[in-house]
Each structure stands twice: as structure tokens, then as C-alpha cells.
Amino acid sequence: MSVQSETITPQAPAADPLVADEALRPAFFDWLCRMGDNTVVLGHRISEWCGHGPVLEEDIALANTALDLIGHTQMWLGLAGEVEGRGRSADDLAFLRDAYRFRNAKLVELPNGDMAVTLMREFLFDAWHFEMLTALTRSASARVAEIAAKALKEVSYHLERSSDLVVRLGDGSAESHARMQEALDRLWSYAGELFTADATDDAMAAAGIAPSLADLLAQWQRTVDEVLEEATLRKPEGRFDVHQGGKQGRHTEHLGYILAEMQFLQRAYPGASW
Amino acid sequence: MYAQMVKSEGMKARDEMSPEELAFQERIDRGEKIEPKEWMPEGYRKTLVRQIGQHAHSEIVGQLPEGNWITRAPTLERKAILLAKVQDEAGHGLYLYSAAETLGVSRDDLVEKLHSGAMKYSSIFNYPTLNWADMGAVGWLVDGAAIMNQVPLQRTSYGPYSRAMIRICKEESFHQRQGYSIMMKMAQGTPEQKEMAQDALNRFWGPALMMFGPSDKDSVHSAQSMAWKIKINTNDELRQKFVDETVPQAEYLGLTIPDPTLKWDDERGHYDFAQPDWDEFFEVLKGNGPCNEERLGARRRAWDEGAWFREGLVAYAEKSAARRAAAGVAAE
Amino acid sequence: MTKKEWPLWEVFIRGQHGLNHRHVGSLHAPDAEMAINHARDVYTRRKEGVSIWVVKSADITASSPSEKGPLFDPAESKVYRHPTFFDIPDEVGHM
């Protein structure tokens, strides 16, 4: 039987002069790597659960989340490669950069721990991700707006799901409550990096490509406060922005091991096609 | 297949059957589907629980050898495809457990029987996945062998099992093809990639043949299962069909099947091939395969470490039901 | 610790084309809201525009059920879930 591959007609990408703007290029590339590195690293972490979830339905749901994030990575790093203009593909960027070139926040590279850490991390990230993508749908860059609109549909569900589970487990049994509180206490000081702007973020905001991070904070705090309250969890008193540097390439020790695993085949067999 | 050497219960000659049993057998002979809560012989029910349960266990233990490479997949696309495939296996496990549950057993009980060793899963998943081409070999050979068995099982006599099989077969076709697509890339790639592909075939060929189980042409269990249409073909028939279909696929890849006796028999219209090492098969079933401990250990760990998660969600559901009830009372 | 199994739910889905809800399968969940979420993940792979009903399996009164479960297409963007995504040469036979 002859089987033809389904022809998928890719929609022509929106016209977007910002993609070729040379003055913006370094900051735009850097920023796109931040978006794509957050999703590739978090997607990697969540995919570690596949086959090891606490119940079949949750195993399947976690895999869906990881699949979404890998899909977003292909879009963000694909556009990063175009903006950079040196012919690098999304795969080149994901599999052939060393840790100090990665631009994800430290929050997403921390080990999964138990389901409490995994879900609390997802929630803190999703709440940021949702606000970020919502703002990006109005980006001056048509290409960025297009990606954000696609990703937002999925991330809306991520946030709905992680909020729901944080509430249920926080207000569940004594043990689930204690674990969720412990996870929150452990992760809290990493969340603020997502809102700490540097020159790259300022340049993107000035160009109208991305929102000012400070503008996202108020809504994020409202979401977090509401969910934590319903979950009967106590918001930690300490600063939420202690751990910084991931976005500039200064990571925890964990990222190196993620990449050693993720990039193994591409590094061991350079130039092979898979 | 995914259910190997399932013992069936209560083989009876027609003239020994009660009127109820005879009527039941006649329904099956007419091709009718048996549905939950309808009368069925206890042996039929027990055999099905064992077979569907073993099949379900195989799906979820089967997530592990491939899950082993998700974090090392070489491209974003391969990672997504592999993850989607392993996720499908969790889904297949879920469909099959649901089918078993219509027979009056609970999923948690079945899972506990898996963990205690009282129920088995397919021997194939006790073999390690050692290089990336194994992801190709597993999809091509292991899913290929599974499909041989599952396609006819779509016509099995038990309705829920048949419907689960129909859904699963639809998804399995993508699995086998993605495996073969990896094998093509590897076999046509660099010399090292080709070496990995051949190595994967060398390691998985025997274990894939074992998936069909030892010859059962003289087995009373098989005869009963076939009369009940919960087994459609003999193990040897399916194994032969698998070999006949796989040999040209290996030839296309330019890979050598690790069987020097393999040759086409014009008279039979089939390939002659060597039997796999059945001593090894029985050792694997006994728990002495290369990865038995790792596989079962991973399943037990996931279940034990997930207990607080499952219980925490039950606690919330109970609390919120109580709150709703209280609010309802207050409103009246 | 007392063992409490999540109850079993039957899932019914109405697709985008406005046909009646149809039974697609079962799953376990601690309550109805989570059963809906699980159904989205397990049976629709979160394809949009579908309406989901769940009912506890224990609450169903059955005569002699005999419906076929429909198959759901995976979300459009996950093209690799379709067998035809993979080009298989004619020479290797049906797969």
C-alpha cells in the first residue's frame, strides 16, 4: 500500500520587519532564547515524570504539558535562529549551546523533587507565563504575537490545572498540605527572577516587543495570593527574588547535568542526522 | 503477546456443559459480543481478567524502556514524538484497566498484584534500551509484534476488550511507523549509526519472537481461549506472520536478521527461522531478566511515592463535598 | 492508612460538530471536576470545542450496553500522532 505523508501547508509567517532589525538583533535574540530556554528546560523536567507519575491520569496530563512546552520551544528557538541570522535552527540552539549560553530562569532547572515541588514550580511559572503570553499577543512584533497566541491557549490550561492542583493538595490531607507548603517555601526565592528586568528586557519593552516585567507583577501577585489563600498555604515572608542570574547565563549546577543528558547524542555524533 | 501464557480455566467438552454454558458458547460461535453484567462462565471472567490485566500491566511497564530515552532524544521533534508515544502507552494501559474493571475487579487491586508479582507483564520489557536505535527497534519490532496479536483481538468476544483494542490499534500504527522511521534514519546514516541499528536488531530479534509465547498448538488453555474467542490465533501462526512481514523490512534497511538459518521456504510459502532461546524466556518470566528488578522497582516506587498525592486529592474531594452539603443544608 | 481508591467515571464527549455526547471510555478521579480535567487530558488531548460529561460508573443503570467508543483525533498541531506523518517506502509492505 502506498502511503503518502499528509501535506501540511504551513501558513506563511506574518510580515515582521522587526525580525530583520539589526540594531535590535542582539537583545531580540537574547530575549527569544529566554522564552525558548524556559520552555525547553521546564519541558525536559516535566518529561522526566513520564512513566513514573503517581497515577495514570496524572502521568498522561504531565506528558501533555511537557509536549506543549516542547512545541513552544520549537517556535521560540526557531524564531531566535531567524533573528540571529546565522542559520542556526531550533535544534542547533537547544542541543549545541553550553550552559552559560542558556537564558532560562533558575526556577525551571531545579530538580523535580516530589509532585509537590513539581506542581508548585509549575504553578509559579504558569502564572508568570500566562501574564507574559497574554501581553505578548499585543506585541509590536507580529511573529512574536503569533507564537504567543498559539502558546497562550495551552498555557491557559496549564495555569488552570496547576492552580487547581495546588488548591486541592494544599487544602487536602495533612501530609499533602505540609508537602505543598514545604515546596512553596523552597521555591519562593526563585520566582522573582522572572520579574527582574535587565538591559535586554528594557530594550524589548522599549521596542514594544515585550511588556515591561514590572507591569506583569501585580496580576501575578493577585493570582498567587488568591490561589495560596484558597489552598490554605502561607506565603513565605522572605524575598522572592533572591536567586538571580539564570537569564544572564549564570545557572545552578543542575543545568549542566540536564544538558549533558539532553545533548548527549548531538555531542557524541556531531553532524549526524536523526 | 503482551499477554503471554495466560492460563484459561474450565475447559469443557460440549456435552459436559450446562444449558447456560452451552447457550453462552453458542452466542460466541454466532459472533455475538458479550457485555459486562451479562451472564458468563466464571472461567471466562477469570481468564479475561488475567489476560486483560496482563496486557494493561505490559503497557505501563512498557513505558519504561522507551521512557529511558525521552530526556536524551536527539532533536526536539524526536523528543516530542517519543514522549507522545510513551504517553499513548499510559493511555492504552488506562483503556485496558477500564476494560478489566467491567469484570468486577478494581484497578488498584490489579496494580497491587503487579507489584507483588502475582500478575505478570510481557517478558520483552525486561530488556534494556542501550542506544538510540533501540527506540527504532522497539517501535518497529516490539510494537510490530504487538500489532500482530492486537489486530485480530479487535474481534474478541468480550465487548469492552474489543473496543479497547480497536482504539489501541488505531494508535499503535503510528508507533510502529515512528519506530521504522528511526530505523531508516539510523540504517542510512553514518557508519556508527548503522552499527547501532544492527546492534539494536541483534538484541531485540530473539526477545521479539518470544513475545508470542512458546508454541501452544497442543495447549488446552489455548484451545479454551480460542473457543471463547479471547485468543484468535495460535502463537506459532502469529510468530510466522511476524517473521514473514519483518524480513523484507529488514532487507530494505540493509540490516541482517541475526539468524543464520533464516531462509525462504518455497513450498510452505513462509520463512524458516530458528526458535528463540526458550530457556532464557523462562528465566525472564521467573524474574531473572536483565531489567526485571529495575522495571518492577520503578513501578512500585512511583506508586508508593504517589500515595500521598492520591490520598491528598481524596481528602480534598471529601472536604469539598462536605462543604457543599453543609452549604446546601444552610440554604434550605 | 486506609486505602481509598479513586472512583471510576464514564466519560461522554460531544465534538465540534454538534452531534450528541458519546461514550468514549472511563477513567479514575477523586471527584467530578477532576474527572472532567482528566477527560480533557486523556480522551481529547485537550482539543478545543468539545463538551464533556462525566458520571460515576456506579451511578449508571444499564440494560445491556453495546455502544462503540468513537475515536478522537489528536490535536491538529500534534501531526506526528497520525500514522501518515511517517513516510514508509512501498517496498517494506504494509505497516
Side-chain angles (χ1 to χ4, degrees):
Chain A
M1 195 180 75
S2 162
V3 184
Q4 295 290 314
S5 185
E6 254 172 71
T7 18
I8 298 141
T9 352
Q11 283 180 329
D16 187 351
L18 290 171
V19 169
D21 186 320
E22 280 191 36
L24 271 178
R25 182 173 293 164
F28 199 2
F29 173 72
D30 200 44
W31 180 83
L32 286 165
C33 286
R34 290 178 183 182
M35 294 302 292
D37 293 345
N38 277 332
T39 55
V40 74
V41 173
L42 185 57
H44 181 99
R45 279 299 189 210
I46 296 175
S47 78
E48 291 173 5
W49 277 103
C50 186
H52 306 274
V55 68
L56 271 176
E57 286 81 0
E58 182 63 21
D59 203 295
I60 292 169
L62 286 165
N64 273 336
T65 306
L67 280 169
D68 292 340
L69 293 170
I70 296 167
H72 303 171
T73 304
Q74 288 172 305
M75 297 191 282
W76 290 124
L77 293 185
L79 183 56
E82 270 185 67
V83 165
E84 187 192 35
R86 286 172 43 201
R88 289 203 281 181
S89 66
D91 281 338
D92 292 337
L93 291 170
F95 292 91
L96 297 173
R97 277 177 305 153
D98 200 349
Y100 70 96
R101 300 270 191 210
F102 267 69
R103 294 291 181 262
N104 58 282
K106 285 177 173 173
L107 176 69
V108 297
E109 71 201 37
L110 298 175
N112 282 334
D114 59 4
M115 279 295 292
V117 173
T118 297
L119 289 170
M120 186 58 79
R121 182 238 305 272
E122 258 196 79
F123 168 64
L124 296 172
F125 180 81
D126 293 344
W128 169 83
H129 205 191
F130 178 82
E131 298 307 328
M132 183 62 157
L133 293 174
T134 304
L136 290 177
T137 57
R138 300 183 295 269
S139 171
S141 160
R143 296 287 298 282
V144 166
E146 202 170 55
I147 295 173
K150 281 187 198 160
L152 183 59
K153 286 185 200 165
E154 295 170 336
V155 170
S156 307
Y157 182 64
H158 296 180
L159 178 59
E160 198 184 314
R161 195 185 101 80
S162 61
S163 306
D164 184 54
L165 285 170
V166 166
V167 167
R168 285 167 179 271
L169 292 166
D171 190 18
S173 66
E175 181 175 4
S176 71
H177 175 85
R179 283 180 186 253
M180 293 306 281
Q181 186 65 54
E182 197 185 317
L184 176 61
D185 294 345
R186 175 134 42 115
L187 296 169
W188 185 247
S189 55
Y190 287 89
E193 184 182 2
L194 295 166
F195 298 94
T196 310
D198 64 0
T200 293
D201 296 304
D202 293 342
M204 289 300 95
I209 293 175
S212 145
L213 293 179
D215 291 349
L216 305 180
L217 185 56
Q219 186 53 48
W220 181 84
Q221 277 170 332
R222 261 196 299 280
T223 307
V224 169
D225 287 348
E226 270 173 34
V227 169
L228 294 184
E229 196 195 327
E230 208 189 331
T232 71
L233 295 170
R234 178 182 30 78
K235 188 156 107 179
E237 277 160 21
R239 288 176 50 176
F240 84 143
D241 57 356
V242 177
H243 298 283
Q244 300 277 345
K247 288 163 65 171
Q248 292 80 29
R250 292 187 308 280
H251 291 278
T252 67
E253 290 179 348
H254 305 294
L255 184 66
Y257 291 95
I258 290 179
L259 299 187
E261 198 173 334
M262 188 172 101
Q263 299 180 339
F264 153 65
L265 282 169
Q266 290 281 359
R267 299 292 192 182
Y269 304 98
S273 157
W274 303 95
Chain B
M1 171 59 38
Y2 276 6
Q4 290 160 325
M5 305 188 67
V6 175
K7 285 198 176 131
S8 68
E9 302 216 355
M11 181 65 178
K12 276 187 186 169
R14 259 189 140 74
D15 54 9
E16 292 170 0
M17 288 182 188
S18 69
E20 261 174 332
E21 287 168 340
L22 199 58
F24 178 82
Q25 187 61 52
E26 278 165 1
R27 286 188 63 195
I28 289 182
D29 294 344
R30 282 196 299 272
E32 284 180 30
K33 292 274 182 266
I34 309 302
E35 293 295 340
K37 296 183 181 173
E38 292 178 346
W39 187 87
M40 60 184 79
E42 186 57 12
Y44 177 84
R45 193 188 69 84
K46 277 191 181 160
T47 308
L48 266 177
V49 167
R50 218 174 276 157
Q51 178 171 332
I52 301 174
Q54 200 183 110
H55 195 154
H57 298 329
S58 298
E59 294 284 354
I60 61 165
V61 177
Q63 289 183 271
L64 300 170
E66 290 172 284
N68 185 35
W69 279 88
I70 289 172
T71 54
R72 288 180 289 173
T75 68
L76 293 168
E77 185 175 78
R78 287 286 179 206
K79 190 192 282 287
I81 293 169
L82 184 61
L83 181 54
K85 176 180 189 270
V86 181
Q87 181 198 38
D88 277 349
E89 283 154 13
H92 297 175
L94 192 149
Y95 307 156
L96 286 161
Y97 283 124
S98 301
E101 283 177 283
T102 62
L103 293 160
V105 288
S106 84
R107 185 169 88 187
D108 285 9
D109 286 342
L110 290 172
V111 164
E112 268 162 31
K113 287 196 173 113
L114 167 70
H115 294 168
S116 72
M119 286 183 83
K120 302 284 181 208
Y121 55 91
S122 176
S123 57
I124 189 74
F125 302 117
N126 291 311
Y127 289 86
T129 54
L130 302 177
N131 78 53
W132 173 251
D134 288 14
M135 296 304 96
V138 168
W140 171 38
L141 300 175
V142 175
D143 292 311
I147 289 168
M148 291 287 150
N149 190 48
Q150 290 171 350
V151 166
L153 273 178
Q154 294 177 97
R155 294 181 280 114
T156 186
S157 62
Y158 189 55
Y161 192 24
S162 157
R163 290 189 285 276
M165 277 300 131
I166 289 168
R167 181 189 282 273
I168 288 170
C169 284
K170 182 103 171 167
E171 294 179 0
E172 285 283 350
S173 170
F174 133 59
H175 294 183
Q176 192 192 8
R177 298 171 69 103
Q178 72 87 32
Y180 198 74
S181 131
I182 292 176
M183 287 312 272
M184 288 200 297
K185 273 281 185 198
M186 298 297 280
Q188 293 158 8
T190 65
E192 283 161 318
Q193 284 177 303
K194 186 159 185 180
E195 200 181 339
M196 286 187 247
Q198 183 63 54
D199 175 52
L201 174 56
N202 292 350
R203 282 181 289 106
F204 276 96
W205 177 252
L209 294 183
M210 292 176 203
M211 286 175 70
F212 300 92
S215 177
D216 61 351
K217 58 183 190 303
D218 305 319
S219 156
V220 285
H221 296 302
S222 290
Q224 175 62 80
S225 289
M226 288 172 88
W228 279 333
K229 289 193 191 154
I230 56 185
K231 182 179 172 76
I232 312 290
N233 305 91
T234 67
N235 296 347
D236 292 319
E237 280 166 10
L238 292 171
R239 189 170 13 248
Q240 182 70 61
K241 190 165 182 314
F242 172 74
V243 171
D244 290 347
E245 283 191 18
T246 306
V247 171
Q249 293 166 355
E251 280 168 0
Y252 179 85
L253 294 171
L255 299 178
T256 309
I257 288 182
D259 176 358
T261 70
L262 186 87
K263 68 169 196 316
W264 178 256
D265 183 333
D266 241 344
E267 224 163 90
R268 290 203 307 129
H270 292 293
Y271 282 95
D272 294 335
F273 60 95
Q275 288 292 310
D277 180 347
W278 291 113
D279 291 338
E280 176 182 310
F281 171 77
F282 287 108
E283 282 303 316
V284 174
L285 279 200
K286 266 191 271 175
N288 297 328
C291 298
N292 293 59
E293 270 176 47
E294 286 87 344
R295 300 295 184 242
L296 212 46
R299 287 310 317 163
R300 285 189 191 127
R301 213 162 31 249
W303 188 248
D304 293 346
E305 288 174 5
W308 72 268
F309 174 88
R310 297 188 301 274
E311 285 156 14
L313 293 173
V314 170
Y316 179 87
E318 285 172 350
K319 272 193 222 177
S320 74
R323 279 193 289 247
R324 238 172 296 171
V329 169
E332 272 170 29
Chain C
M1 206 181 313
T2 52
K3 198 189 86 173
K4 276 181 191 153
E5 183 158 1
W6 289 3
L8 188 66
W9 302 78
E10 299 303 320
V11 180
F12 301 81
I13 292 182
R14 187 187 66 215
Q16 286 147 318
H17 305 299
L19 296 171
N20 289 332
H21 282 80
R22 295 181 70 184
H23 183 239
V24 295
S26 331
L27 48 75
H28 286 267
D31 64 18
E33 290 76 17
M34 274 199 78
I36 295 265
N37 283 348
H38 286 165
R40 286 164 78 169
D41 273 305
V42 173
Y43 288 106
T44 76
R45 301 264 149 72
R46 299 206 239 101
K47 193 170 172 167
E48 285 173 80
V50 300
S51 155
I52 301 173
W53 291 348
V54 294
V55 57
K56 260 193 199 165
S57 310
D59 291 341
I60 290 189
T61 309
S63 58
S64 176
S66 64
E67 76 276 70
K68 275 187 188 159
L71 293 152
F72 266 76
D73 293 325
E76 271 92 0
S77 62
K78 311 286 195 307
V79 287
Y80 43 77
R81 288 196 191 276
H82 294 280
T84 49
F85 177 71
F86 302 96
D87 256 326
I88 301 294
D90 296 347
E91 293 94 310
V92 304
H94 174 72
M95 196 175 281

